[in-house]
Amino acid sequence: MKKKTWMSLGIVALAVITLSACSTKNSDESKKTFISDTVALNNSKDYNAQKVKVDVNEFKIHGGGDNSEFNKIFNKGARLDFNIGLDKTNQLAVIDGKLSLAKNDYDLGLMMSQKGIYISSSDIKSLYDNNKAMIPSSAGGVVTIYGAMIDSLDKSYLLIDSQTLDSNVQSSKNNWESTLKQLFESNSKISKADLEKQYKEIPNSDFTKSGDKITVNFSGKDIELKDLINNLSATYSIPKEQKEQLIKESKNIDISKLSVKLAVDKKSHEMTGKLTGSISNTKEKTSADLDISLASTRSKLKETLKEPAATDTNTLEEVQNAAIEKLMTQASAA
């Protein structure tokens, strides 16, 4: 089976958690509170930053050929621990944190602007140094080229500009300008009326309230994944293109053996989720065991974001040209 399908499936699984942070059932009063608290925590005027933790305790594929290498990636668990900030005024978004995979930690720092994506040069160097030993010896030429490019990073950031990003897309609808626009639009204020309409027919019996926290438990057998994505995409203002892609990727996915537990706590500004069980691809006769947890604490940026100065930035073209010049000098001296 194609690994791309299961990576998309992993995204769908996370979407079930994050989108479902609004799919709840409780006593009538708890249901109302859940909706109002969800609206409050997703108001980008009050909360334009969040600390996110995603723990992948298990993600194991069965069937569809040899999955040992893929499963090996997650057999020791994985974690994403990062901060997200959105500065709508300056149209800047920042992600800064750490990825833990196979007991190795990797720093991740990047900023998105209309110009493109700025990536921390130190993070690029660290990622390359820690993983170059895994590159097959047959790819020695690739190692030499990329090594020269890494050595040419002499400023704080590498800019992958919008023109480079757009060169890899098939439609103008998915160009960098529209992607950035959708990012900020998808984090606008949620309508309480829309949520009340969405969940009018959902039973209240699965809601429980303890102190300031409201929790809901439900099973994947209670709802089709397509309907879940359609009904909940409006809740988190997921862009149409992304919603349609999720539905396309989930066409043959069965989530009937999934269990989902979600909670919202307005006082602590936190939304959490837990997904356990299995999902299967009925067409390819494959399945994946999952145990994924997510916690998101909402906050407000302490200061406006600032785009890196040109003097602190290497462009991809500069790095490529410097690498070529270096390699040509080495070849001439040989």
Side-chain angles (χ1 to χ4, degrees), residues 170-183:
Q170 302 296 320
S171 169
S172 59
K173 292 182 179 180
N174 299 319
N175 65 15
W176 180 246
E177 182 181 2
S178 64
T179 298
L180 195 67
K181 182 179 179 180
Q182 289 173 13
L183 175 64

Side-chain angles (χ1 to χ4, degrees), residues 39 42-45 185 187-192 235 237:
V39 170
N42 284 280
N43 185 342
S44 59
K45 285 188 176 181
E185 287 181 347
N187 284 274
S188 58
K189 186 176 180 180
I190 294 172
S191 166
K192 182 177 180 181
T235 302
S237 302

